[in-house]
Amino acid sequence: MKKLAIFASGTGTNTAKIIEHFKENKTSIVALVVSNKSSAGVLKIAEVNHIPTLILQKEIFFQGNGYVNELKSAGIDIIVLAGFLWQLPVSLIRAFPKKIINIHPALLPKFGGKGMYGNHVHEAVLASGEKESGISIHFVDEQYDRGQIIMQAKCSINKNDDVHSLANKIHQLEHRHFSPTIEVFSTL
Ligand code: GRF
């Protein structure tokens, strides 16, 4: 059974789905929820599920060893980024080679990189006149949002779509695909 650490900065709807998924599928367990924001909704989700949490201190995360020791001593095998807004320090990426995956709410390599998160992504996709959008689940390497893509899923964009309706379509894709993808990945 692989031990997962989920890193998240926000509401945590993806985290909630992943926790539920692995209650049924015992290939992995969510052993830790990590956040850079003590007020993040994701921490409440961890608490009600009796999952330990870790709040990151910016200086330690970026100048220290990226909390590698804490993660290794917790026996973490895989790091899952589910809406985590800080770029990972190289020390952390190198300590978990090909063991860190991220979900991005667009079809990379387009609409990725700095500043491309949350509704900013959907605004850019709609402004570009794209006829479809989707999600990308990818390995995390030292280039932001540039790691090898593991899977993508698409949704159509129609003329009535706005940022909210597109965000909703994307969230549905995330909630459907992230957990099974993590499961396949954790059995490798
Ligand atoms: C998701 O849209 C994900 O694609 C992005 O951050 C968001 C997290 O949403 N990386 P939630 O906090 O899981 O609801």
Side-chain angles (χ1 to χ4, degrees):
M1 179 185 281
K2 294 285 175 29
K3 284 188 161 185
L4 309 178
I6 302 180
F7 283 46
S9 304
T11 324
T13 62
N14 278 288
T15 300
K17 290 287 179 188
I18 296 165
I19 291 168
E20 288 315 310
H21 179 91
F22 287 105
K23 279 179 184 170
E24 309 299 320
N25 304 274
K26 306 281 184 202
T27 54
S28 296
I29 183 167
V30 178
L32 186 65
V33 169
V34 180
S35 187
N36 59 312
K37 280 174 66 182
S38 55
S39 60
V42 69
L43 295 170
K44 289 277 169 293
I45 290 171
E47 279 155 28
V48 299
N49 284 284
H50 311 294
I51 295 171
T53 57
L54 172 65
I55 311 281
L56 301 173
Q57 304 302 321
K58 198 161 196 162
E59 300 67 37
I60 299 173
F61 190 64
F62 289 109
Q63 274 116 45
N65 71 348
Y67 286 84
V68 169
N69 298 343
E70 288 81 348
L71 291 163
K72 291 292 185 187
S73 55
I76 298 302
D77 300 296
I78 293 171
I79 294 174
V80 174
L81 307 186
F84 184 66
L85 295 183
W86 286 354
Q87 185 163 344
L88 299 191
V90 170
S91 56
L92 182 54
I93 295 172
R94 288 179 181 165
F96 290 88
K98 286 272 188 210
K99 294 290 182 198
I100 307 175
I101 56 177
N102 180 48
I103 189 166
H104 184 75
L107 296 172
L108 293 173
K110 292 200 275 189
F111 308 107
K114 270 257 177 259
M116 276 293 157
Y117 61 89
N119 284 343
H120 300 298
V121 180
H122 310 314
E123 283 157 5
V125 170
L126 290 168
S128 69
E130 296 282 351
K131 293 286 172 265
E132 60 184 14
S133 188
I135 60 167
S136 304
I137 298 174
H138 63 95
F139 287 113
V140 172
D141 64 13
E142 297 169 32
Q143 275 85 34
Y144 203 62
D145 283 345
R146 298 287 303 276
Q148 180 193 346
I149 289 175
I150 298 169
M151 72 84 69
Q152 293 186 307
K154 295 181 178 179
C155 63
S156 63
I157 296 176
N158 58 52
K159 62 184 186 325
N160 308 322
D161 273 314
D162 62 9
V163 168
H164 303 291
S165 62
L166 179 53
N168 189 38
K169 287 181 182 177
I170 295 294
H171 259 101
Q172 285 177 39
L173 288 177
E174 292 171 341
H175 297 168
R176 188 183 321 146
H177 292 287
F178 205 5
S179 298
T181 304
I182 295 167
E183 182 168 350
V184 166
F185 179 66
S186 66
T187 51
L188 293 180

